Amino acid sequence: MEFNVAIVGYTAGVCSAICQFPQAYKVFKTKDTHSISLGMYLTMTIGVILWFTYGVLIEDMPMMLANGVGLVPCLYTLYLTIQNRRAHKTYGK
Amino acid sequence: MEFNVAIVGYTAGVCSAICQFPQAYKVFKTKDTHSISLGMYLTMTIGVILWFTYGVLIEDMPMMLANGVGLVPCLYTLYLTIQNRRAHKTYGK
């Protein structure tokens, strides 16, 4: 595979891995999940878990790493969104 | 590739493609982006564009489809989040 094509793939992987951190940080700071879609976070978390599993099955380290790293903040945001829905407390309002 | 391994990959792709729609719908309905991280949406949108480009470069149709489909609601949510930040109007408060 040409070098620049691989660069596009790896950069995409880095973006996908790190994109969850700013949202998890914002939710951690504000405890406000009011405008976050629970449907999105459920589907996305399942997707990240499946991509991680797929990476393990096809022994693709970058895929395992990107999704393994991204799963942690994803689960945190999902957890807090579920907590808030249950408690109907919209922090930071 | 074994059939069930491919199933894991395709299901992951479907989750990644559709997960953006519930968030875009919620933002469309409430116009409230207060708890959404602009940092996440910028990074995620760049990631989806790069995955789409990577799919084109390696001629991988599922990757093109999943990211092409997911890009539309992603851009909408990003657009509205930027609009709200600019206008400092937090709808639905």
Side-chain angles (χ1 to χ4, degrees), chain B residues 51-68:
Chain B
W51 279 124
F52 178 77
T53 311
Y54 186 62
V56 170
L57 291 172
I58 61 171
E59 294 168 10
D60 183 310
M61 184 52 81
M63 197 180 274
M64 282 188 246
L65 265 177
N67 291 283

Side-chain angles (χ1 to χ4, degrees), chain A residues 18-78:
Chain A
I18 63 172
C19 73
Q20 290 297 335
F21 285 90
Q23 183 66 71
Y25 177 69
K26 181 165 184 160
V27 161
F28 170 72
K29 238 182 23 179
T30 64
K31 299 295 185 270
D32 171 14
T33 59
H34 187 257
S35 38
I36 291 175
S37 160
L38 183 54
M40 172 166 111
Y41 262 86
L42 279 171
T43 326
M44 185 152 49
T45 305
I46 293 167
V48 171
I49 291 169
L50 286 172
W51 279 123
F52 178 77
T53 310
Y54 186 61
V56 171
L57 291 173
I58 62 171
E59 293 167 11
D60 182 310
M61 185 51 81
M63 196 180 274
M64 282 189 246
L65 265 177
N67 290 284
V69 165
L71 186 57
V72 174
C74 207
L75 283 171
Y76 175 75
T77 306
L78 176 63

Side-chain angles (χ1 to χ4, degrees), chain B residues 1 4 9-10 16 18 21 23 26-27 31 34 36 41 53 63-64 68 70 73-74 85-86 92:
Chain B
M1 183 184 294
N4 43 13
Y10 278 106
S16 305
I18 63 173
F21 285 90
Q23 183 68 70
K26 181 166 185 160
V27 161
K31 299 294 184 272
H34 187 256
I36 290 175
Y41 261 87
T53 311
M63 197 180 274
M64 282 188 246
C74 206
R85 287 301 185 283
R86 280 209 191 123

